[in-house]
Amino acid sequence: MPKVFVTRAIPEAGIKLLRDKGFEVEVSDVDGVLPREVLLSKVKGADAILSLLTDKMDGELMDACGSQLKIIANYAVGYDNINLADAAAHNVIITNTPDVLTESVAEHAIALIFGLAHRIVESDQY
């Protein structure tokens, strides 16, 4: 049974989807960023890693997993935490979740502009 290591708790629906497909899923029990030593020990034997942007994915980590590692799926829009050259050298597929926050970021930027233009924080404090 392929093993998936999830570096941080995610909604249970996602874990259930993986388990229903026959994957052995281990979710980190640490609430927050895993210390590097713990992360390196937890990924041993994993076929897949579901990581967050705060988890550094590099050649050292991929070596710690073993040659069976096939994919690192980033539970984030970006992939700045993943060394793509190391992934290519280890023949590991990298994925992320692009285009899911595009509108939210733009809407937030506009809201901040309105807030500044209309001096909302200053008015609220007054």
Side-chain angles (χ1 to χ4, degrees):
M1 177 181 321
K3 177 183 173 187
V4 178
F5 179 69
V6 183
T7 63
R8 182 109 37 103
I10 64 168
E12 188 57 38
I15 302 300
K16 184 179 180 328
L17 282 171
L18 291 168
R19 288 188 174 134
D20 288 350
K21 293 292 182 182
F23 295 102
E24 173 190 338
V25 181
E26 179 185 353
V27 181
S28 170
D29 56 356
V30 174
D31 185 25
V33 179
L34 281 171
R36 183 69 177 179
E37 319 76 58
V38 175
L39 178 61
L40 291 174
S41 69
K42 292 280 191 177
V43 298
K44 287 187 189 316
D47 295 284
I49 300 172
L50 180 59
S51 65
L52 274 78
L53 201 55
T54 51
D55 303 310
K56 182 179 176 186
M57 302 283 128
D58 59 9
E60 178 187 27
L61 177 124
M62 295 172 206
D63 287 338
C65 284
S67 61
Q68 78 291 335
L69 180 65
K70 295 172 189 63
I71 185 168
I72 296 174
N74 219 26
Y75 194 73
V77 173
Y79 50 86
D80 292 346
N81 60 313
I82 302 173
N83 186 314
L84 299 179
D86 287 350
H90 286 81
N91 205 24
V92 173
I93 296 169
I94 302 299
T95 66
N96 66 342
T97 52
D99 300 327
V100 295
L101 297 176
T102 307
E103 289 178 16
S104 297
V105 171
E107 290 167 354
H108 186 69
I110 294 296
L112 291 173
I113 290 169
F114 281 138
L116 287 172
H118 294 279
R119 302 169 70 179
I120 291 173
V121 173
E122 183 181 343
S123 297
D124 180 58
Q125 290 173 346
Y126 179 74

